[in-house]
PDB file of all heavy atoms in Angstrom:
ATOM      1  N   LYS C 100      80.858 -11.351-145.208  1.00  0.00           N
ATOM      2  CA  LYS C 100      81.391 -10.246-144.411  1.00  0.00           C
ATOM      3  C   LYS C 100      82.265 -10.751-143.281  1.00  0.00           C
ATOM      4  O   LYS C 100      83.306 -10.165-142.969  1.00  0.00           O
ATOM      5  CB  LYS C 100      80.255  -9.392-143.857  1.00  0.00           C
ATOM      6  CG  LYS C 100      79.562  -8.521-144.895  1.00  0.00           C
ATOM      7  CD  LYS C 100      78.531  -7.606-144.255  1.00  0.00           C
ATOM      8  CE  LYS C 100      77.900  -6.692-145.286  1.00  0.00           C
ATOM      9  NZ  LYS C 100      76.895  -5.784-144.655  1.00  0.00           N
ATOM     10  N   GLN C 103      85.595 -11.678-144.753  1.00  0.00           N
ATOM     11  CA  GLN C 103      86.408 -10.499-145.027  1.00  0.00           C
ATOM     12  C   GLN C 103      86.965  -9.907-143.742  1.00  0.00           C
ATOM     13  O   GLN C 103      88.120  -9.457-143.702  1.00  0.00           O
ATOM     14  CB  GLN C 103      85.570  -9.458-145.773  1.00  0.00           C
ATOM     15  CG  GLN C 103      85.188  -9.882-147.184  1.00  0.00           C
ATOM     16  CD  GLN C 103      84.217  -8.918-147.835  1.00  0.00           C
ATOM     17  OE1 GLN C 103      83.407  -8.271-147.160  1.00  0.00           O
ATOM     18  NE2 GLN C 103      84.299  -8.802-149.149  1.00  0.00           N
ATOM     19  N   TYR C 104      86.166  -9.909-142.678  1.00  0.00           N
ATOM     20  CA  TYR C 104      86.604  -9.372-141.394  1.00  0.00           C
ATOM     21  C   TYR C 104      87.731 -10.212-140.793  1.00  0.00           C
ATOM     22  O   TYR C 104      88.775  -9.689-140.393  1.00  0.00           O
ATOM     23  CB  TYR C 104      85.409  -9.308-140.448  1.00  0.00           C
ATOM     24  CG  TYR C 104      85.760  -9.170-138.982  1.00  0.00           C
ATOM     25  CD1 TYR C 104      86.443  -8.056-138.509  1.00  0.00           C
ATOM     26  CD2 TYR C 104      85.405 -10.159-138.069  1.00  0.00           C
ATOM     27  CE1 TYR C 104      86.766  -7.932-137.165  1.00  0.00           C
ATOM     28  CE2 TYR C 104      85.710 -10.044-136.731  1.00  0.00           C
ATOM     29  CZ  TYR C 104      86.392  -8.917-136.284  1.00  0.00           C
ATOM     30  OH  TYR C 104      86.702  -8.811-134.957  1.00  0.00           O
ATOM     31  N   ALA C 107      91.088  -9.871-142.795  1.00  0.00           N
ATOM     32  CA  ALA C 107      91.331  -8.500-143.248  1.00  0.00           C
ATOM     33  C   ALA C 107      92.753  -8.308-143.765  1.00  0.00           C
ATOM     34  O   ALA C 107      93.726  -8.652-143.107  1.00  0.00           O
ATOM     35  CB  ALA C 107      91.075  -7.538-142.094  1.00  0.00           C
ATOM     36  N   ASN C 108      92.840  -7.775-145.003  1.00  0.00           N
ATOM     37  CA  ASN C 108      94.115  -7.434-145.650  1.00  0.00           C
ATOM     38  C   ASN C 108      94.971  -8.639-146.032  1.00  0.00           C
ATOM     39  O   ASN C 108      96.126  -8.480-146.413  1.00  0.00           O
ATOM     40  CB  ASN C 108      94.949  -6.487-144.779  1.00  0.00           C
ATOM     41  CG  ASN C 108      94.292  -5.123-144.617  1.00  0.00           C
ATOM     42  OD1 ASN C 108      93.430  -4.759-145.387  1.00  0.00           O
ATOM     43  ND2 ASN C 108      94.703  -4.388-143.600  1.00  0.00           N
ATOM     44  N   HIS C 163      88.702  -3.054-138.423  1.00  0.00           N
ATOM     45  CA  HIS C 163      88.240  -3.927-139.499  1.00  0.00           C
ATOM     46  C   HIS C 163      86.785  -4.332-139.293  1.00  0.00           C
ATOM     47  O   HIS C 163      86.074  -4.587-140.259  1.00  0.00           O
ATOM     48  CB  HIS C 163      89.146  -5.150-139.580  1.00  0.00           C
ATOM     49  CG  HIS C 163      90.576  -4.793-139.870  1.00  0.00           C
ATOM     50  ND1 HIS C 163      90.984  -4.326-141.093  1.00  0.00           N
ATOM     51  CD2 HIS C 163      91.681  -4.798-139.086  1.00  0.00           C
ATOM     52  CE1 HIS C 163      92.279  -4.066-141.061  1.00  0.00           C
ATOM     53  NE2 HIS C 163      92.725  -4.349-139.846  1.00  0.00           N
ATOM     54  N   ALA C 164      86.339  -4.398-138.043  1.00  0.00           N
ATOM     55  CA  ALA C 164      84.929  -4.690-137.786  1.00  0.00           C
ATOM     56  C   ALA C 164      84.049  -3.580-138.343  1.00  0.00           C
ATOM     57  O   ALA C 164      83.012  -3.838-138.961  1.00  0.00           O
ATOM     58  CB  ALA C 164      84.695  -4.853-136.289  1.00  0.00           C
ATOM     59  N   ARG C 165      84.453  -2.341-138.139  1.00  0.00           N
ATOM     60  CA  ARG C 165      83.664  -1.222-138.681  1.00  0.00           C
ATOM     61  C   ARG C 165      83.704  -1.222-140.202  1.00  0.00           C
ATOM     62  O   ARG C 165      82.710  -0.928-140.867  1.00  0.00           O
ATOM     63  CB  ARG C 165      84.206   0.104-138.138  1.00  0.00           C
ATOM     64  CG  ARG C 165      83.869   0.367-136.678  1.00  0.00           C
ATOM     65  CD  ARG C 165      84.213   1.784-136.265  1.00  0.00           C
ATOM     66  NE  ARG C 165      85.653   2.006-136.258  1.00  0.00           N
ATOM     67  CZ  ARG C 165      86.429   1.794-135.197  1.00  0.00           C
ATOM     68  NH1 ARG C 165      85.894   1.345-134.074  1.00  0.00           N
ATOM     69  NH2 ARG C 165      87.727   2.011-135.269  1.00  0.00           N
ATOM     70  N   ARG C 166      84.854  -1.601-140.754  1.00  0.00           N
ATOM     71  CA  ARG C 166      85.010  -1.564-142.202  1.00  0.00           C
ATOM     72  C   ARG C 166      84.214  -2.662-142.890  1.00  0.00           C
ATOM     73  O   ARG C 166      83.495  -2.407-143.870  1.00  0.00           O
ATOM     74  CB  ARG C 166      86.499  -1.703-142.549  1.00  0.00           C
ATOM     75  CG  ARG C 166      86.791  -1.765-144.039  1.00  0.00           C
ATOM     76  CD  ARG C 166      88.284  -1.950-144.252  1.00  0.00           C
ATOM     77  NE  ARG C 166      88.596  -2.234-145.651  1.00  0.00           N
ATOM     78  CZ  ARG C 166      89.783  -2.617-146.078  1.00  0.00           C
ATOM     79  NH1 ARG C 166      90.780  -2.761-145.212  1.00  0.00           N
ATOM     80  NH2 ARG C 166      89.988  -2.873-147.358  1.00  0.00           N
ATOM     81  N   PHE C 167      84.322  -3.905-142.394  1.00  0.00           N
ATOM     82  CA  PHE C 167      83.708  -5.035-143.083  1.00  0.00           C
ATOM     83  C   PHE C 167      82.317  -5.382-142.553  1.00  0.00           C
ATOM     84  O   PHE C 167      81.475  -5.876-143.301  1.00  0.00           O
ATOM     85  CB  PHE C 167      84.612  -6.267-142.987  1.00  0.00           C
ATOM     86  CG  PHE C 167      85.905  -6.124-143.733  1.00  0.00           C
ATOM     87  CD1 PHE C 167      87.107  -6.014-143.055  1.00  0.00           C
ATOM     88  CD2 PHE C 167      85.926  -6.082-145.121  1.00  0.00           C
ATOM     89  CE1 PHE C 167      88.312  -5.884-143.732  1.00  0.00           C
ATOM     90  CE2 PHE C 167      87.122  -5.941-145.813  1.00  0.00           C
ATOM     91  CZ  PHE C 167      88.311  -5.840-145.120  1.00  0.00           C
ATOM     92  N   LEU C 168      82.081  -5.157-141.262  1.00  0.00           N
ATOM     93  CA  LEU C 168      80.795  -5.529-140.671  1.00  0.00           C
ATOM     94  C   LEU C 168      79.880  -4.332-140.469  1.00  0.00           C
ATOM     95  O   LEU C 168      78.697  -4.505-140.197  1.00  0.00           O
ATOM     96  CB  LEU C 168      81.026  -6.243-139.333  1.00  0.00           C
ATOM     97  CG  LEU C 168      81.948  -7.478-139.369  1.00  0.00           C
ATOM     98  CD1 LEU C 168      82.132  -8.036-137.960  1.00  0.00           C
ATOM     99  CD2 LEU C 168      81.396  -8.546-140.302  1.00  0.00           C
ATOM    100  N   GLY C 169      80.442  -3.139-140.539  1.00  0.00           N
ATOM    101  CA  GLY C 169      79.640  -1.939-140.352  1.00  0.00           C
ATOM    102  C   GLY C 169      79.238  -1.701-138.912  1.00  0.00           C
ATOM    103  O   GLY C 169      78.281  -0.970-138.643  1.00  0.00           O
TER     104      GLY C 169
END
Side-chain angles (χ1 to χ4, degrees):
K100 287 185 177 180
Q103 292 173 330
Y104 163 62
N108 294 341
H163 299 289
R165 286 190 292 270
R166 176 182 171 190
F167 293 110
L168 305 177

